Amino acid sequence: MREHRRSTPRLLTAALAAGLLAGAALTTTATAPPAAAAPQERPSVQSLDTLRDWAPRQFRIGTAVAGGGHHTSADYPEPFPNDPTYRAFLADQFSSLTAENQMKWNHIHPEPDRYDFEQADAIVDFAEQNGQVVRGHTLFWHSQNPTWLEEGDFSPEELRAILRDHVETVVGRYAGRIQQWDVANEIFDDAGQLRTQDNLWIRELGPGIVADVFRWTHEADPQAELFFNDYNVEGPNAKSDAYHALIQQLLADGVPVHGFGMQAHLGLQYGFDGRMQANLQRFDDLGLATAITEIDVRGPVGEDGQLSPELRQRQTDWYAAALEACLAVEGCRSFTIWGVLDEHSWVPGTFPGQGDALTLEGDYQRKPAYCALQETLATGTGHPGRDRRWERISPRLSCAADRG
């Protein structure tokens, strides 16, 4: 029996949201259950002050919607279903949402004969109410699979049927409502070799299953753009070369591959790959859409949980450089920050002693990295969606005064 529970969140009042966006400390909380809301009216040019307002036309600035995964064992209620301030910020700041964990296998398909769509439905509904698109994440991955799947005694034929049913059920449910799907996630290791051992599907069904999952996804939703997605592919290297070669082969075979996503989980200790634009461009040259899908920039933090001023400046520069690289490539029209507040980030739990990876303080105050993104969106050139009026009104950026 499949669950079809639905929960549609409600925005804060306009006055509260305005105070939040100005960086004011919030003292008001809301405890009423969320309710449906009409689509939010966007502000006038004179009051433009958010990332989504400054983005070029047809360019999506996004974030991951915090929920599932590590949030279920954290010392705070899951942010999206429980925090109206958080939801108001999502609605105002971003034009694209990605389910951080709520569409992964272990969350949406927890038992063999049961799908749980409650939180995924709520995200998609919320996005539509607020004029946002959704990136679906993810259908085919070696991680965060449910125990019943990883430890089940299934024949190859049964596994193939399970995968196809999952794709048809999940993608079909949101057909026409998801802009982009991360279909195949992290299928190569850093040496550019297929994950033939830790990826259940490739190990048991062979490499040809990759083409099949793209075909099934396209059949379930012909309107969605279908992506490969991975980390450590910012520049040309063994892993990104492997994707480049595989995608050319799949395209030659008529497989519906439409995009390539760079996660860009960056560590300040490793250096910034200045070839990001060139690498995005070579996938663009294949006729693909490209995207920065999961960016955060982490580093070693002090007892206060923050980077040093020097590292924060480097972080600021890297965020801006990544966005500039995307804006410079015609087909790169989506840039997603992997979260809103550091207290919700996956980074500290995965990389002990590191953090401060996102663009806002815990009270929604803007870090220099946020201001760099806003300024880059407002003053950058070269993207086909650029409206020249932004350059004339850029002094109205609130961050301009903050950064002197």
Side-chain angles (χ1 to χ4, degrees):
M1 178 177 178
R2 295 174 184 163
E3 298 183 16
H4 293 277
R5 297 167 289 171
R6 302 172 70 87
S7 174
T8 306
R10 181 181 63 189
L11 296 178
L12 291 178
T13 64
L16 180 57
L20 180 152
L21 292 172
L26 293 176
T27 57
T28 304
T29 59
T31 57
Q40 184 185 45
E41 182 179 349
R42 304 307 310 151
S44 66
V45 170
Q46 287 72 22
S47 64
L48 292 172
D49 194 35
T50 71
L51 295 177
R52 73 180 289 180
D53 290 323
W54 286 100
R57 291 189 301 268
Q58 300 180 357
F59 186 88
R60 304 295 184 174
I61 187 81
T63 194
V65 177
H70 67 280
H71 302 285
T72 60
S73 59
D75 59 358
Y76 52 77
E78 289 196 53
F80 181 73
N82 295 292
D83 187 344
T85 300
Y86 175 82
R87 293 196 299 274
F89 196 86
L90 294 184
D92 282 312
Q93 287 287 333
F94 303 103
S95 55
S96 174
L97 301 179
T98 304
E100 184 180 13
N101 295 290
Q102 301 94 326
M103 292 185 182
K104 292 174 181 173
W105 267 79
N106 61 353
H107 194 105
I108 207 168
H109 199 165
E111 298 174 12
D113 298 319
R114 183 170 70 92
Y115 290 82
D116 184 350
F117 293 110
E118 180 182 14
Q119 292 193 37
D121 280 354
I123 292 169
V124 174
D125 291 346
F126 180 88
E128 291 179 341
Q129 292 161 12
N130 292 287
Q132 299 163 311
V133 299
V134 178
R135 298 194 76 257
H137 179 78
T138 177
L139 299 171
F140 183 96
W141 192 25
H142 67 275
S143 184
Q144 289 186 243
N145 288 323
T147 301
W148 69 263
L149 180 64
E150 288 285 352
E151 298 182 2
D153 184 19
F154 301 108
S155 69
E157 293 76 17
E158 289 170 328
L159 275 177
R160 182 180 175 86
I162 289 168
L163 178 58
R164 184 164 189 170
D165 176 78
H166 180 93
V167 169
E168 291 176 346
T169 301
V170 175
V171 178
R173 182 178 184 84
Y174 302 111
R177 305 176 72 192
I178 300 279
Q179 183 201 31
Q180 300 174 341
W181 269 105
D182 289 332
V183 175
N185 197 49
E186 302 173 6
I187 66 168
F188 288 105
D189 62 22
D190 285 344
Q193 301 298 311
L194 276 174
R195 294 181 182 270
T196 55
Q197 295 304 309
D198 51 357
N199 186 301
L200 166 72
W201 311 110
I202 297 174
R203 182 180 69 240
E204 301 299 328
L205 302 177
I209 194 62
V210 175
D212 288 335
V213 76
F214 274 90
R215 292 189 179 101
W216 296 336
T217 305
H218 184 63
E219 290 170 1
D221 186 359
Q223 299 180 52
E225 292 182 321
L226 311 186
F227 275 65
F228 283 100
N229 187 52
D230 214 324
Y231 63 93
N232 287 351
V233 292
E234 292 77 36
N237 56 30
K239 183 185 280 189
S240 63
D241 287 349
Y243 277 108
H244 195 258
L246 174 61
I247 290 169
Q248 289 182 81
Q249 176 184 335
L250 293 174
L251 292 174
D253 292 340
V255 178
V257 179
H258 307 130
F260 179 71
M262 291 183 181
Q263 292 181 13
H265 292 295
L266 306 179
L268 291 167
Q269 66 271 41
Y270 300 120
F272 184 85
D273 196 319
R275 303 170 296 169
M276 182 180 288
Q277 179 182 335
N279 203 31
L280 287 167
Q281 186 61 56
R282 70 168 175 158
F283 286 93
D284 184 274
D285 292 342
L286 297 179
L288 300 179
T290 56
I292 306 298
T293 58
E294 304 183 20
I295 190 170
D296 47 33
V297 184
R298 68 184 185 273
V301 297
E303 293 183 0
D304 60 357
Q306 294 187 357
L307 301 168
S308 67
E310 295 78 12
L311 287 179
R312 271 209 172 179
Q313 183 57 56
R314 190 184 306 170
Q315 176 192 64
T316 298
D317 294 341
W318 287 17
Y319 266 111
L323 180 55
E324 289 169 354
C326 182
L327 288 169
V329 175
E330 182 176 0
C332 191
R333 300 188 178 183
S334 181
F335 185 93
T336 297
I337 306 164
W338 203 241
V340 174
L341 300 178
D342 288 313
E343 65 188 82
H344 302 150
S345 172
W346 71 294
V347 168
T350 305
F351 303 98
Q354 298 188 51
D356 200 7
L358 300 172
T359 63
L360 297 156
E361 308 292 2
D363 57 0
Y364 295 91
Q365 291 274 359
R366 298 166 178 187
K367 297 180 187 178
Y370 174 100
C371 292
L373 291 177
Q374 191 187 67
E375 293 174 10
T376 300
L377 289 169
T379 61
T381 59
H383 196 277
R386 170 63 55 202
D387 185 332
R388 300 290 294 184
R389 68 178 177 154
W390 299 146
E391 297 171 21
R392 296 198 300 274
I393 62 176
S394 60
R396 296 188 183 130
L397 283 167
S398 62
C399 281
D402 297 339
R403 286 163 62 79

